[in-house]
């Protein structure tokens, strides 16, 4: 299990590094470089628009790679998704600016961001099933939290590199070529991730499905027919976590540098401190999920986010690094209380034969609902004098929406909910397979 957990963590860290480095670049430099004829606000909105395209591609990627995972195995998903995202990221660093090739520059940017989203959409499902389907039942939450530690590790790697370059280069050098270096570095990280995953074994659950001839012929169609309500509920349930995370890590960076006039290295340092804290808490909270259940932690996290968002905005607007860090910490504490357990929760909700598709599509629907629009909506709501209370209201509303969705989902941990809990529980037509072990 430690070797498998390390392989899953390394892959998600590399993939989310690729995804996050784009978000940081969108907040800092992509607007003026690729949309120079726009006003500063419109340029930032356009850059965040290309950022959102990656989220729109993620459900499609989860459907494509989910089909591969449910038909041909979890292992091919781990390798193919990592390679696609990495190559697209390196290519972003090679795209000439608008000044060099005109309108082709933002078009190429959109295409590559779309490919990034496709790859990341498949990554999460393969990584969590690698651990969830190998792990013992009483420690499934703990081992399945390792892929969930990949995003904070990837974020720290991406923003640590941007922070180092910002400190070492002048503003002109960073804008001219420095922002491209983190994209080029993705190539080395992908090679390292592929090396770690080269000897990963197929999961026992998929081998059992293959040996008994119970693999789904059309996983997406079957998941939609048998689990449509579950897909919608899981997407809505995870939307708030995405919204809070990207408001904290992407929108806040743009707002603090453009509206508050703060140095980007200071703001990045504050955000990174909070993200490190989030990563360290992930396995601890996952252990609580193994003991007390997945659903209580998810409900608690959503409630925390709903209550904290006004304080988050107020502390951000102080421009005091310590107070800003406190605001970021509170926001990400609520988010990670929910997301620490979803690596075990989502696979347990879906029937085994459509698990790779169902879990990945549900997870990435949450990304569309919460992650794709949040930087754009928050930037628009924050355009004006005074603290952006509209952003706080929007994020608190998203948290209450997700809380309502979690309230309609069942508990899946048999230690808490009893032997009736398990794959397909409460999912309509998929409930017939609830007796199958994870």
């Amino acid at each position: 299990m430690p070797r498998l957990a390390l392989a899953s963590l390394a892959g998600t860290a590399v993939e989310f590094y690729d995804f996050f480095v784009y978000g940081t670049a969108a907040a800092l430099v992509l607007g003026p470089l690729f949309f120079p004829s726009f006003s500063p606000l419109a340029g930032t909105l356009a850059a965040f628009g290309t950022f959102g395209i990656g989220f729109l591609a993620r459900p499609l990627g989860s459907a494509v790679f989910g089909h591969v995972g449910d038909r041909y195995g979890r292992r091919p998903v781990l390798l193919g998704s990592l390679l696609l995202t990495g190559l697209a990221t390196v290519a972003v660093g090679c795209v000439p600016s608008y000044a060099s090739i005109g309108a082709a520059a933002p078009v190429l940017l959109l295409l590559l961001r779309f490919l990034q989203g496709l790859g990341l959409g498949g990554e999460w499902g393969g990584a969590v099933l690698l651990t969830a389907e190998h792990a013992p039942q009483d420690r499934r939450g703990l081992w399945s939290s390792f892929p969930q530690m990949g995003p904070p590790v990837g974020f720290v790697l991406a923003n640590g590199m941007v922070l180092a370059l910002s400190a070492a280069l002048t503003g002109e050098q960073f804008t001219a070529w420095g922002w491209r270096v983190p994209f080029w570095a993705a190539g080395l990280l992908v090679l390292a991730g592929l090396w770690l995953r080269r000897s990963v074994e197929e999961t026992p659950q998929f081998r059992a499905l293959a040996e008994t001839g119970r693999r789904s012929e059309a996983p997406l169609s079957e998941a939609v027919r048998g689990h449509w309500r579950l897909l919608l509920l899981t997407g809505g349930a995870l939307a708030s976590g995405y919204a809070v995370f990207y408001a904290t890590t992407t929108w806040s960076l743009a707002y603090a540098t453009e509206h508050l006039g703060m140095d980007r290295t200071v703001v990045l340092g504050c955000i990174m401190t909070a993200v490190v804290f989030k990563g360290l808490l992930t396995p601890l909270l996952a252990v609580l999920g193994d003991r007390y259940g997945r659903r209580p932690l998810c409900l608690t996290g959503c409630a925390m986010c709903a209550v904290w968002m006004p304080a988050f905005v107020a502390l951000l607007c102080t421009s005091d690094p310590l107070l800003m860090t406190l605001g970021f910490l509170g926001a990400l504490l609520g988010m990670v209380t929910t997301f620490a357990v979803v690596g075990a929760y989502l696979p347990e909700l879906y029937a085994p034969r459509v698990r790779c598709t169902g879990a990945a599509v549900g997870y990435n629907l949450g990304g569309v609902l919460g992650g794709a629009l949040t930087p754009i909506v928050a930037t628009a709501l924050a355009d004006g004098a005074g603290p952006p209370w509209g952003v706080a209201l929007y994020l608190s509303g998203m948290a209450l929406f997700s809380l309502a969705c979690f309230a309609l989902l069942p508990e899946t941990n048999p230690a808490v909910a009893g032997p009736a809990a398990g794959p397909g529980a409460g999912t309509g037509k998929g409930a017939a397979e609830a007796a199958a072990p994870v």
Side-chain angles (χ1 to χ4, degrees), residues 59 84 123 129 145-147 184 202 222 235 247 279 288 322 324 336 340 356 400 413 436:
L84 175 59
E123 163 65 26
L129 292 191
S145 72
F146 277 77
W184 297 335
E202 190 52 79
E222 185 175 332
L288 294 180
L322 288 177
M324 289 171 63
V336 74
C356 194
L400 292 175
N413 186 348

Side-chain angles (χ1 to χ4, degrees), residues 1 51 158 211 237 257 285 293 295 297 310 322-323 354 382 391 413 422:
M1 285 308 306
F51 175 75
E211 290 168 1
T257 54
L285 290 164
R295 188 168 170 267
L297 266 73
L322 288 177
L323 293 178
V354 296
V391 176
N413 186 348

Side-chain angles (χ1 to χ4, degrees), residues 251 255 307-318 377-378 380-397:
W251 169 75
Y255 182 82
V307 171
W308 185 253
M309 288 305 102
F312 162 71
V313 168
L315 293 169
L316 173 64
C317 291
T318 64
V377 172
L381 291 173
D383 183 32
W389 298 119
V391 176
L393 182 63
Y394 169 75
L395 294 173
S396 292

Side-chain angles (χ1 to χ4, degrees), residues 396-419:
S396 292
M398 289 289 291
L400 292 175
F401 170 69
S402 291
L403 188 148
C405 291
F406 273 121
L408 296 173
L409 290 171
E411 177 57 62
T412 60
N413 186 348
V416 177

Side-chain angles (χ1 to χ4, degrees), residues 17-432:
Y17 167 91
D18 297 345
F19 208 70
F20 290 145
V21 78
Y22 190 100
T24 304
L28 296 177
V29 298
L30 295 187
L33 285 175
F34 290 89
F35 305 95
S37 61
F38 290 17
S39 68
L41 173 63
T44 300
L45 287 170
F48 281 148
T50 63
F51 175 75
I53 289 293
F55 284 98
L56 297 178
R58 283 173 64 169
L60 178 59
S62 63
V64 172
F65 282 101
H67 179 89
V68 174
D70 286 323
R71 283 292 301 154
Y72 306 106
R74 321 309 193 196
R75 188 173 182 274
V77 173
L78 297 172
L79 302 177
S81 60
L82 182 61
L83 191 59
L84 175 59
T85 306
L87 291 175
T89 303
V90 173
V92 169
C94 300
V95 176
S97 66
Y98 187 94
S100 299
I101 61 173
V107 170
L108 286 173
L109 205 62
L110 281 169
L111 174 62
L112 292 171
R113 180 60 174 173
F114 185 83
L115 293 176
Q116 269 193 326
L118 281 179
L120 189 61
E123 163 65 26
W124 187 85
V128 297
L129 292 191
L130 174 68
T131 52
E133 293 188 342
H134 276 101
Q137 179 178 287
D138 61 342
R139 288 291 181 268
R140 187 175 298 133
L142 172 62
W143 292 116
S144 298
S145 72
F146 277 77
Q148 296 300 89
M149 285 188 278
V153 171
F155 183 89
V156 170
L157 286 174
N159 288 276
M161 186 169 292
V162 173
L163 187 62
L165 289 166
S166 296
L169 303 176
T170 65
E172 292 76 15
Q173 289 173 325
F174 184 82
T175 302
W177 57 269
W179 69 271
R180 298 180 184 273
V181 175
F183 290 91
W184 297 335
L188 296 176
L189 294 176
V190 168
L191 291 176
L194 290 173
W195 182 80
L196 281 171
R197 287 183 166 181
R198 74 195 188 284
S199 59
V200 165
E201 298 175 359
E202 190 52 79
T203 69
Q205 182 68 62
F206 181 80
R207 289 201 303 269
L209 288 172
E211 290 168 1
T212 57
R214 294 176 56 243
R215 288 177 294 176
S216 175
E217 294 294 329
L220 179 61
S221 176
E222 185 175 332
V224 172
R225 289 197 316 270
H227 302 270
W228 63 269
R229 180 176 177 270
L230 182 56
L231 286 170
L232 295 177
L233 284 176
T234 50
L238 298 179
S240 171
Y242 276 103
V244 169
F245 185 83
Y246 286 102
T248 303
T249 60
T250 301
W251 169 75
S252 294
L253 177 59
Y255 182 82
T257 54
E258 295 174 9
H259 286 257
L260 304 179
M262 297 186 67
D263 184 84
R264 63 173 170 252
T265 58
V266 173
V267 184
L268 279 172
C270 296
I271 295 172
M272 287 175 62
T273 300
V275 172
V276 169
F277 179 76
K278 168 186 175 292
L280 294 174
L281 277 180
T282 298
L284 302 177
L285 290 164
V287 170
L288 294 180
D290 280 329
R291 178 163 185 151
Y292 300 108
R294 327 293 186 206
R295 188 168 170 267
L297 266 73
C298 293
L299 293 170
T300 300
C302 290
M304 292 168 63
C305 288
V307 171
W308 185 253
M309 288 305 102
F312 162 71
V313 168
L315 293 169
L316 173 64
C317 291
T318 64
S319 299
D320 182 301
L322 288 177
L323 293 178
M324 289 171 63
T325 303
L326 177 62
F328 298 152
L329 284 170
L332 294 185
L333 176 59
M335 180 263 179
V336 74
T337 301
T338 294
F339 271 59
V341 297
V342 299
Y345 195 19
L346 264 65
E348 289 171 342
L349 282 168
Y350 288 90
R353 57 191 275 122
V354 296
R355 179 173 292 143
C356 194
T357 300
V361 170
Y363 184 83
N364 287 295
L365 278 178
V368 174
L369 295 172
L373 294 178
T374 291
I376 300 172
V377 172
T379 299
L381 291 173
D383 183 32
W389 298 119
V391 176
L393 182 63
Y394 169 75
L395 294 173
S396 292
M398 289 289 291
L400 292 175
F401 170 69
S402 291
L403 188 148
C405 291
F406 273 121
L408 296 173
L409 290 171
E411 177 57 62
T412 60
N413 186 348
V416 177
T427 61
K429 296 178 182 178

